[in-house]
PDB file of all heavy atoms in Angstrom:
ATOM      1  N   ALA B 363     218.358  69.393  88.014  1.00 98.00           N
ATOM      2  CA  ALA B 363     217.651  68.539  88.866  1.00 98.00           C
ATOM      3  C   ALA B 363     216.138  68.801  88.728  1.00 98.00           C
ATOM      4  O   ALA B 363     215.735  69.955  88.797  1.00 98.00           O
ATOM      5  CB  ALA B 363     218.070  68.709  90.306  1.00 98.00           C
ATOM      6  N   GLU B 364     215.403  67.770  88.545  1.00 98.00           N
ATOM      7  CA  GLU B 364     213.916  67.969  88.406  1.00 98.00           C
ATOM      8  C   GLU B 364     213.139  67.213  89.448  1.00 98.00           C
ATOM      9  O   GLU B 364     213.564  66.131  90.001  1.00 98.00           O
ATOM     10  CB  GLU B 364     213.496  67.324  87.078  1.00 98.00           C
ATOM     11  CG  GLU B 364     213.246  68.367  85.998  1.00 98.00           C
ATOM     12  CD  GLU B 364     214.456  68.717  85.207  1.00 98.00           C
ATOM     13  OE1 GLU B 364     215.494  67.990  85.279  1.00 98.00           O
ATOM     14  OE2 GLU B 364     214.502  69.818  84.558  1.00 98.00           O
ATOM     15  N   VAL B 365     212.056  67.747  89.848  1.00 98.00           N
ATOM     16  CA  VAL B 365     211.007  67.018  90.615  1.00 98.00           C
ATOM     17  C   VAL B 365     209.726  66.743  89.772  1.00 98.00           C
ATOM     18  O   VAL B 365     209.564  67.487  88.799  1.00 98.00           O
ATOM     19  CB  VAL B 365     210.636  67.838  91.865  1.00 98.00           C
ATOM     20  CG1 VAL B 365     211.857  67.834  92.801  1.00 98.00           C
ATOM     21  CG2 VAL B 365     210.133  69.205  91.626  1.00 98.00           C
ATOM     22  N   MET B 366     208.884  65.883  90.283  1.00 98.00           N
ATOM     23  CA  MET B 366     207.656  65.544  89.568  1.00 98.00           C
ATOM     24  C   MET B 366     206.525  66.320  90.243  1.00 98.00           C
ATOM     25  O   MET B 366     206.320  66.139  91.505  1.00 98.00           O
ATOM     26  CB  MET B 366     207.430  64.022  89.763  1.00 98.00           C
ATOM     27  CG  MET B 366     206.174  63.536  89.010  1.00 98.00           C
ATOM     28  SD  MET B 366     206.058  63.916  87.334  1.00 98.00           S
ATOM     29  CE  MET B 366     207.563  63.089  86.643  1.00 98.00           C
ATOM     30  N   MET B 367     205.840  67.052  89.440  1.00 97.00           N
ATOM     31  CA  MET B 367     204.640  67.853  90.023  1.00 97.00           C
ATOM     32  C   MET B 367     203.338  67.083  89.918  1.00 97.00           C
ATOM     33  O   MET B 367     203.380  66.043  89.184  1.00 97.00           O
ATOM     34  CB  MET B 367     204.510  69.114  89.217  1.00 97.00           C
ATOM     35  CG  MET B 367     205.791  70.043  89.258  1.00 97.00           C
ATOM     36  SD  MET B 367     206.123  70.769  90.922  1.00 97.00           S
ATOM     37  CE  MET B 367     205.276  72.333  90.632  1.00 97.00           C
ATOM     38  N   PRO B 368     202.387  67.367  90.701  1.00 97.00           N
ATOM     39  CA  PRO B 368     201.097  66.518  90.700  1.00 97.00           C
ATOM     40  C   PRO B 368     200.458  66.292  89.384  1.00 97.00           C
ATOM     41  O   PRO B 368     199.826  65.217  89.206  1.00 97.00           O
ATOM     42  CB  PRO B 368     200.238  67.301  91.623  1.00 97.00           C
ATOM     43  CG  PRO B 368     201.087  68.196  92.442  1.00 97.00           C
ATOM     44  CD  PRO B 368     202.320  68.458  91.626  1.00 97.00           C
ATOM     45  N   ASP B 369     200.650  67.168  88.432  1.00 95.00           N
ATOM     46  CA  ASP B 369     200.079  66.923  87.122  1.00 95.00           C
ATOM     47  C   ASP B 369     201.030  66.187  86.111  1.00 95.00           C
ATOM     48  O   ASP B 369     200.667  66.103  84.948  1.00 95.00           O
ATOM     49  CB  ASP B 369     199.613  68.282  86.533  1.00 95.00           C
ATOM     50  CG  ASP B 369     200.799  69.296  86.341  1.00 95.00           C
ATOM     51  OD1 ASP B 369     201.979  68.829  86.697  1.00 95.00           O
ATOM     52  OD2 ASP B 369     200.594  70.293  85.827  1.00 95.00           O
ATOM     53  N   GLY B 370     202.057  65.590  86.637  1.00 96.00           N
ATOM     54  CA  GLY B 370     202.939  64.877  85.769  1.00 96.00           C
ATOM     55  C   GLY B 370     203.874  65.690  84.940  1.00 96.00           C
ATOM     56  O   GLY B 370     204.739  65.111  84.229  1.00 96.00           O
ATOM     57  N   ARG B 371     203.977  67.035  85.116  1.00 96.00           N
ATOM     58  CA  ARG B 371     204.997  67.831  84.546  1.00 96.00           C
ATOM     59  C   ARG B 371     206.125  67.928  85.504  1.00 96.00           C
ATOM     60  O   ARG B 371     205.996  67.713  86.698  1.00 96.00           O
ATOM     61  CB  ARG B 371     204.415  69.225  84.205  1.00 96.00           C
ATOM     62  CG  ARG B 371     203.473  69.217  83.034  1.00 96.00           C
ATOM     63  CD  ARG B 371     202.539  70.488  83.034  1.00 96.00           C
ATOM     64  NE  ARG B 371     203.260  71.642  82.587  1.00 96.00           N
ATOM     65  CZ  ARG B 371     202.737  72.870  82.429  1.00 96.00           C
ATOM     66  NH1 ARG B 371     201.476  73.071  82.862  1.00 96.00           N
ATOM     67  NH2 ARG B 371     203.454  73.874  81.904  1.00 96.00           N
ATOM     68  N   THR B 372     207.273  68.213  84.900  1.00 98.00           N
ATOM     69  CA  THR B 372     208.484  68.241  85.774  1.00 98.00           C
ATOM     70  C   THR B 372     208.806  69.789  86.107  1.00 98.00           C
ATOM     71  O   THR B 372     208.533  70.673  85.298  1.00 98.00           O
ATOM     72  CB  THR B 372     209.758  67.663  85.247  1.00 98.00           C
ATOM     73  OG1 THR B 372     209.973  68.272  83.920  1.00 98.00           O
ATOM     74  CG2 THR B 372     209.511  66.137  85.018  1.00 98.00           C
ATOM     75  N   LEU B 373     209.516  69.987  87.263  1.00 98.00           N
ATOM     76  CA  LEU B 373     209.908  71.316  87.504  1.00 98.00           C
ATOM     77  C   LEU B 373     211.394  71.298  87.867  1.00 98.00           C
ATOM     78  O   LEU B 373     211.907  70.501  88.711  1.00 98.00           O
ATOM     79  CB  LEU B 373     209.210  71.884  88.839  1.00 98.00           C
ATOM     80  CG  LEU B 373     209.569  73.303  89.295  1.00 98.00           C
ATOM     81  CD1 LEU B 373     209.065  74.355  88.314  1.00 98.00           C
ATOM     82  CD2 LEU B 373     209.000  73.447  90.769  1.00 98.00           C
ATOM     83  N   GLN B 374     212.188  72.070  87.124  1.00 98.00           N
ATOM     84  CA  GLN B 374     213.591  72.199  87.344  1.00 98.00           C
ATOM     85  C   GLN B 374     213.853  72.989  88.706  1.00 98.00           C
ATOM     86  O   GLN B 374     213.358  74.154  88.761  1.00 98.00           O
ATOM     87  CB  GLN B 374     214.350  72.822  86.171  1.00 98.00           C
ATOM     88  CG  GLN B 374     215.826  73.171  86.459  1.00 98.00           C
ATOM     89  CD  GLN B 374     216.253  73.939  85.228  1.00 98.00           C
ATOM     90  OE1 GLN B 374     216.555  73.524  84.239  1.00 98.00           O
ATOM     91  NE2 GLN B 374     216.761  75.236  85.527  1.00 98.00           N
ATOM     92  N   ILE B 375     214.502  72.476  89.657  1.00 98.00           N
ATOM     93  CA  ILE B 375     214.653  73.290  90.878  1.00 98.00           C
ATOM     94  C   ILE B 375     216.167  73.438  91.258  1.00 98.00           C
ATOM     95  O   ILE B 375     216.519  74.118  92.208  1.00 98.00           O
ATOM     96  CB  ILE B 375     214.025  72.643  92.084  1.00 98.00           C
ATOM     97  CG1 ILE B 375     214.435  71.170  92.275  1.00 98.00           C
ATOM     98  CG2 ILE B 375     212.384  72.707  91.859  1.00 98.00           C
ATOM     99  CD1 ILE B 375     213.993  70.591  93.662  1.00 98.00           C
ATOM    100  N   GLY B 376     217.032  72.910  90.443  1.00 98.00           N
ATOM    101  CA  GLY B 376     218.479  73.164  90.623  1.00 98.00           C
ATOM    102  C   GLY B 376     219.270  72.947  89.430  1.00 98.00           C
ATOM    103  O   GLY B 376     218.888  72.125  88.532  1.00 98.00           O
ATOM    104  N   THR B 377     220.377  73.735  89.185  1.00 98.00           N
ATOM    105  CA  THR B 377     221.197  73.511  87.968  1.00 98.00           C
ATOM    106  C   THR B 377     222.679  73.663  88.517  1.00 98.00           C
ATOM    107  O   THR B 377     222.922  74.476  89.465  1.00 98.00           O
ATOM    108  CB  THR B 377     220.924  74.554  86.917  1.00 98.00           C
ATOM    109  OG1 THR B 377     221.091  75.822  87.489  1.00 98.00           O
ATOM    110  CG2 THR B 377     219.564  74.452  86.321  1.00 98.00           C
ATOM    111  N   MET B 378     223.511  72.796  87.806  1.00 98.00           N
ATOM    112  CA  MET B 378     224.887  72.968  88.046  1.00 98.00           C
ATOM    113  C   MET B 378     225.607  73.002  86.653  1.00 98.00           C
ATOM    114  O   MET B 378     225.244  72.246  85.783  1.00 98.00           O
ATOM    115  CB  MET B 378     225.461  71.732  88.758  1.00 98.00           C
ATOM    116  CG  MET B 378     224.896  71.541  90.182  1.00 98.00           C
ATOM    117  SD  MET B 378     223.373  70.420  90.080  1.00 98.00           S
ATOM    118  CE  MET B 378     222.810  70.444  91.749  1.00 98.00           C
ATOM    119  N   HIS B 379     226.417  74.034  86.625  1.00 98.00           N
ATOM    120  CA  HIS B 379     227.159  74.283  85.168  1.00 98.00           C
ATOM    121  C   HIS B 379     228.601  74.133  85.294  1.00 98.00           C
ATOM    122  O   HIS B 379     229.198  74.748  86.230  1.00 98.00           O
ATOM    123  CB  HIS B 379     226.777  75.520  84.580  1.00 98.00           C
ATOM    124  CG  HIS B 379     225.357  75.834  84.580  1.00 98.00           C
ATOM    125  ND1 HIS B 379     224.319  75.180  83.782  1.00 98.00           N
ATOM    126  CD2 HIS B 379     224.567  76.663  85.339  1.00 98.00           C
ATOM    127  CE1 HIS B 379     223.193  75.533  84.010  1.00 98.00           C
ATOM    128  NE2 HIS B 379     223.266  76.606  84.918  1.00 98.00           N
TER     129      HIS B 379
END
Side-chain angles (χ1 to χ4, degrees):
Chain B
E364 258 86 20
V365 293
M366 180 58 59
M367 300 292 264
D369 60 359
R371 288 161 78 180
T372 59
L373 179 71
Q374 170 185 296
I375 57 167
T377 54
M378 299 88 183
H379 310 289

